[in-house]
């Protein structure tokens, strides 16, 4: 701490802009060490099938338990990790942990699929496909149970991304496009990529004045996805009215606080057990959620 204090005094005296740099460099160094230091935490959120009204998949969402700053959300460190390249090591650890956690979880139609978010920087890393292959092998997962979520904001028609997606598709893993509707993908781009799932961005589930227009967009996405043989997951479902709308619009699955907020693995496991037990006892369809 002496060196840090001294450094801070120095920059405060001579050049305030360096103080920012000092803090930024320290943050980047901590981030580079975070995976190795065991500071990454995964939270899990269920993905609920409309047809079965039951949890069929789970999404892993990373957090960083920072030694002094507390639990950091992805928006507070993923952009930096993408810029510095730390995302490659972080992402590899997330992938292994998500697979190892998820192999013990089952729903009504068998083991849960596990969704893992992937950044463009990971996708084009030369070791990524091997990392994915070893995850599938080491945890004896049927490859289609692993769902890689890429965002629509990635440059989806870049050759490097296309090559990576083709290699992943050849492995048999499932590929989802996340935050759909917020980017600028031409429909023709979607058609030529090996995609399986479209996740409609939560911004289309508004309850305000733009509701009718947003609902029209959701209906259009569902219809387009159906024609392209893609499954549709809607994220950000907080209210029962939104769930009802999505059912009538023909979405395949829903995700959001209405079902469960992202929670640590043990809590998610208990929630799943309880949900499964309730369903078995009742022998009918219980309402999942509050
Ligand atoms: P995403 O993949 O689109 O994840 C959905 C985000 O919406 C999550 O935020 C989740 O907590 C939040 N959410 C879930 N249900 C609701 C709801 O009903 N209402 C609202 N308002 N929000 C809801 P989170 O966990 O902060 O993650 C933000 C983003 O960070 C993710 O968006 C994803 O793009 C990225 N991310 C998360 N984990 C990873 C990871 O392991 N690797 C990479 N590369 N990116 C990640
Ligand atoms: Mg996602
Ligand atoms: Mg999303
Ligand atoms: Mg997102």
């Amino acid at each position: 701490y002496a060196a840090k204090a001294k450094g801070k005094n120095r920059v405060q005296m001579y050049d305030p802009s360096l103080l920012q740099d000092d803090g930024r460099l320290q943050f980047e160094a901590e981030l580079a060490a975070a995976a190795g230091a065991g500071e990454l935490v995964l939270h899990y959120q269920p993905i609920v099938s409309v047809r079965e009204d039951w949890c069929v998949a789970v999404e892993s969402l990373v957090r960083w338990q920072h030694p002094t700053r507390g639990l950091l959300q992805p928006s507070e460190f993923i952009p930096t990790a993408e810029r510095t390249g730390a995302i490659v090591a972080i992402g590899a650890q997330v992938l292994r942990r998500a697979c190892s956690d998820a192999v013990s979880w089952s729903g009504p139609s068998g083991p849960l699929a596990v969704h893992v978010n992937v950044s463009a920087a990971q996708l084009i890393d030369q070791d990524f496909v091997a990392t994915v292959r070893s995850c599938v092998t080491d945890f004896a997962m049927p490859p289609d149970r692993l769902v890689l979520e890429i965002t629509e904001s990635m440059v989806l028609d870049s050759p490097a991304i296309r090559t990576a997606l083709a290699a992943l598709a050849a492995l048999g893993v499932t590929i989802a496009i996340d935050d759909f509707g917020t980017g600028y993908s031409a429909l023709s781009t979607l058609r030529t990529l090996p995609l399986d799932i479209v996740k409609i961005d939560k911004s289309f589930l508004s309850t305000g004045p733009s509701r009718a227009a947003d609902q029209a967009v959701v209906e259009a996405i569902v219809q387009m996805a159906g024609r392209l043989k893609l499954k549709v997951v809607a994220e950000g479902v907080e209210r029962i009215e939104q769930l009802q709308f999505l059912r009538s619009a023909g979405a395949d699955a829903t995700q959001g606080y209405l079902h469960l907020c992202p929670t640590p693995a043990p809590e998610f496991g208990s929630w799943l057990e309880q949900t499964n037990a309730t369903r078995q006892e009742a022998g009918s369809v219980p309402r999942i959620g509050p």
Side-chain angles (χ1 to χ4, degrees):
Y1 283 111
K4 192 180 142 202
K6 202 171 116 201
K8 273 195 178 163
N9 286 339
R10 191 183 38 135
V11 295
Q12 266 165 1
M13 261 189 281
Y14 297 113
D15 184 357
S17 74
L18 285 180
L19 179 64
Q20 274 187 324
D21 270 1
D22 191 41
R24 180 171 60 78
L25 290 176
Q26 189 187 337
F27 187 74
E28 289 176 6
E30 290 166 347
L31 188 54
E39 293 166 358
L40 301 178
V41 180
L42 288 188
H43 284 188
Y44 291 96
Q45 190 179 38
I47 295 174
V48 177
S49 156
V50 167
R51 190 165 50 83
E52 302 180 84
D53 198 17
W54 208 328
C55 177
V56 291
V58 61
E59 178 172 9
S60 68
L61 295 155
V62 72
R63 279 88 180 89
W64 177 15
Q65 187 64 63
H66 188 278
T68 56
R69 295 173 197 245
L71 190 67
L72 300 184
Q73 300 299 308
S75 61
E76 299 174 279
F77 65 91
I78 293 287
T80 303
E82 289 175 338
R83 186 170 46 73
T84 63
I87 193 66
V88 171
I90 290 173
Q93 190 175 89
V94 165
L95 198 58
R96 286 194 75 80
R97 184 106 51 84
C99 289
S100 107
D101 283 342
V103 283
S104 62
W105 293 331
S106 298
S109 38
L112 298 193
V114 60
H115 290 229
V116 179
N117 293 285
V118 172
S119 299
Q122 290 173 264
L123 208 54
I124 60 177
D125 181 76
Q126 56 178 9
D127 295 331
F128 186 66
V129 176
T131 302
V132 172
R133 189 187 294 113
S134 63
C135 266
V136 165
T137 312
D138 294 353
F139 300 105
M141 283 181 88
D144 61 351
R145 266 183 74 192
L146 177 59
V147 184
L148 300 178
E149 295 194 359
I150 59 174
T151 58
E152 199 197 1
S153 59
M154 286 182 190
V155 190
L156 286 178
D157 41 14
S158 95
I161 300 269
R162 274 183 184 273
T163 305
L165 289 177
L168 292 166
L171 269 185
V173 300
T174 300
I175 299 171
I177 185 158
D178 203 353
D179 302 341
F180 188 76
T182 58
Y184 300 94
S185 345
L187 298 187
S188 56
T189 306
L190 285 191
R191 186 174 51 78
T192 60
L193 289 170
L195 301 173
D196 308 285
I197 297 173
V198 169
K199 293 188 78 173
I200 302 180
D201 192 69
K202 51 181 170 287
S203 61
F204 295 104
L205 293 186
S206 71
T207 49
S210 64
R211 182 161 166 263
D214 287 339
Q215 290 191 339
V217 172
V218 170
E219 285 164 349
I221 293 174
V222 170
Q223 281 177 23
M224 175 206 70
R227 299 292 291 272
L228 296 176
K229 307 263 186 294
L230 304 171
K231 296 270 178 242
V232 175
V233 177
E235 58 184 13
V237 182
E238 297 178 2
R239 302 153 64 115
I240 196 81
E241 297 77 27
Q242 293 170 327
L243 183 63
Q244 283 158 349
F245 162 70
L246 289 162
R247 285 182 162 148
S248 66
D252 295 286
T254 58
Q255 182 181 357
Y257 300 158
L258 178 67
H259 301 300
L260 188 71
C261 292
T263 50
E267 283 86 341
F268 175 78
S270 311
W271 175 89
L272 186 65
E273 245 173 61
Q274 209 185 320
T275 307
N276 287 344
T278 314
R279 175 67 169 254
Q280 259 137 33
E281 276 162 29
S284 65
V285 181
R287 172 76 39 234
I288 298 173

